[in-house]
Amino acid sequence: QKHRSQFRLIDRLLQSPQSTILTNVLPSVGWVGLIALSLCAYNYAFDASMLPEGAPNLNTSSSATTFIQQTTAVLSLLLVFRTNASYGRWDEARKMWGLLLNRSRDIVRMGMTMIPDDEPEIKEALARWTVANAIALKSHFQPADTNLRELLTGVISDKEIESLEKAPHRPVRSIHTMSQIVMNSKMDTISATTLGTNITQFHDILGGCERLLRAPIPVSYTRHTARFLFIWLTFLPFAIFPATHEWTAPVAMTITAVLCGVEEIGVQCEEPFGILPLDVICNRVKADAMKTWEDDQSVKDTLIEAGAGPRVALEKLNGAYVSR
């Protein structure tokens, strides 16, 4: 509701001092502001005949104006392509983690259904390690923001946490453990194969996320865009001074904040794991997986009472259901 509020524009404007985007572009804004103020001071001194004879007149700069006019479209295209490419990476990472959540739910559901009821410890282990896998994946991509032991306490045993912490590749270790849990069960071969196929998709998710992490947008493209933007902004005060005069600094700094803000958004989206709420997704996996495990017997009892118990022949005798 707040996002759709009619006052959202005013609210976002008032929150500008808290914006990490604007904070990160302050050096560039400061540089352009310094150029603009120096230009204003120079032109004031020139008009007051305070400069040595022969000093160039910078009140009008046709070269800077021509440069800005002729390259504005090119700069716009570079920024658009940069932002679109970065957003595509962010969107792909978001879909990968959405798939992780869906597969985690599916694996726990299938495990509760397919693993025989006389193996409750296997069911519990599968549910707990499904949660541990999501947290291990988070620690792999957000190591600075993840306390693995703290997040896994109460999910798996201390010995299991220790083994996971020592693993050279934690997500691979957790996926291997889940596969071993499935193979240790007495479920039929078809069910085990189906569960194994679902678990294999965790490897696909891991590989996709690692590709995004280790293969960024080509450095030549990002560097060229940054250099061009810096040169363009440096010439900007000279181009707009004839129209803005003493307002050159605030106008140039505002334009700089907008353009550098767009470029900064591209930088942040290019590395999606720094801005995706992975802790929220892990908490959702934990809540859904553990609830499915806890409700397993309750679901089966409800079905039996309704006459739809799995693999049980039911008869209605004297108003009561009797399984045989």
Side-chain angles (χ1 to χ4, degrees):
Q1 293 178 354
K2 187 176 181 180
H3 181 71
R4 297 191 299 268
S5 171
Q6 297 178 351
F7 302 100
R8 64 185 182 279
L9 298 181
I10 298 176
D11 181 60
R12 298 297 182 268
L13 182 62
L14 295 176
Q15 293 180 359
S16 295
Q18 306 172 14
S19 171
T20 57
I21 298 294
L22 294 180
T23 301
N24 292 341
V25 303
L26 280 179
S28 299
V29 174
W31 166 256
V32 174
L34 178 62
I35 296 294
L37 290 174
S38 300
L39 177 64
C40 291
Y42 179 92
N43 287 335
Y44 174 80
F46 182 88
D47 294 338
S49 302
M50 299 170 60
L51 298 178
E53 186 177 351
N57 181 6
L58 298 181
N59 281 284
T60 58
S61 179
S62 58
S63 298
T65 302
T66 302
F67 173 79
I68 294 297
Q69 290 176 346
Q70 296 299 320
T71 58
T72 298
V74 177
L75 178 63
S76 300
L77 289 174
L78 283 174
L79 290 178
V80 168
F81 292 153
R82 173 83 163 88
T83 306
N84 283 348
S86 298
Y87 176 78
R89 293 169 56 85
W90 177 87
D91 187 52
E92 187 174 356
R94 177 185 61 84
K95 290 177 180 178
M96 288 285 183
W97 276 81
L99 182 60
L100 173 76
L101 175 59
N102 293 341
R103 283 291 160 263
S104 297
R105 290 167 171 166
D106 201 28
I107 287 171
V108 176
R109 174 189 60 80
M110 295 175 67
M112 298 305 106
T113 305
M114 296 176 175
I115 296 174
D117 289 339
D118 61 351
E119 294 183 313
E121 69 286 350
I122 298 293
K123 292 185 177 183
E124 180 180 357
L126 181 62
R128 293 187 181 278
W129 271 97
T130 300
V131 178
N133 176 67
I135 296 174
L137 197 63
K138 178 182 182 298
S139 72
H140 187 62
F141 293 105
Q142 291 182 345
D145 301 330
T146 305
N147 186 328
L148 190 65
R149 178 166 291 275
E150 179 181 345
L151 293 176
L152 288 178
T153 299
V155 177
I156 55 180
S157 67
D158 291 340
K159 186 175 181 179
E160 289 172 320
I161 295 175
E162 184 178 352
S163 68
L164 191 58
E165 285 180 327
K166 293 180 179 179
H169 199 298
R170 293 169 179 174
V172 170
R173 177 61 177 268
S174 63
I175 295 172
H176 184 191
T177 302
M178 293 179 66
S179 296
Q180 193 62 51
I181 290 172
V182 171
M183 294 307 298
N184 288 344
S185 173
K186 295 184 293 186
M187 75 176 79
D188 59 84
T189 304
I190 295 178
S191 298
T193 302
T194 303
L195 262 176
T197 301
N198 259 346
I199 293 174
T200 299
Q201 293 196 27
F202 283 149
H203 272 299
D204 297 334
I205 295 170
L206 173 61
C209 290
E210 287 185 333
R211 173 175 52 81
L212 292 174
L213 181 67
R214 297 172 181 173
I217 295 174
V219 177
S220 57
Y221 182 85
T222 56
R223 286 179 178 175
H224 180 73
T225 302
R227 291 165 183 160
F228 182 35
L229 178 61
F230 182 80
I231 295 173
W232 193 93
L233 292 173
T234 300
F235 279 99
L236 179 63
F238 298 92
I240 66 175
F241 182 81
T244 56
H245 300 289
E246 65 273 9
W247 290 97
T248 299
V251 171
M253 292 172 71
T254 301
I255 295 174
T256 301
V258 172
L259 295 181
C260 288
V262 173
E263 203 265 344
E264 177 64 23
I265 290 173
V267 170
Q268 293 195 11
C269 289
E270 183 183 357
E271 301 176 357
F273 303 110
I275 57 177
L276 281 174
L278 302 187
D279 54 340
V280 175
I281 299 176
C282 288
N283 290 338
R284 188 71 266 165
V285 171
K286 180 178 181 180
D288 292 347
M290 301 311 293
K291 189 62 177 174
T292 300
W293 167 62
E294 292 171 359
D295 290 349
D296 178 49
Q297 191 57 48
S298 174
V299 169
K300 289 187 170 91
D301 291 342
T302 301
L303 288 175
I304 291 174
E305 292 176 3
R311 300 178 183 177
V312 177
L314 297 169
E315 289 183 352
K316 189 173 183 181
L317 179 62
N318 296 328
Y321 289 101
V322 179
S323 62
R324 70 177 182 183

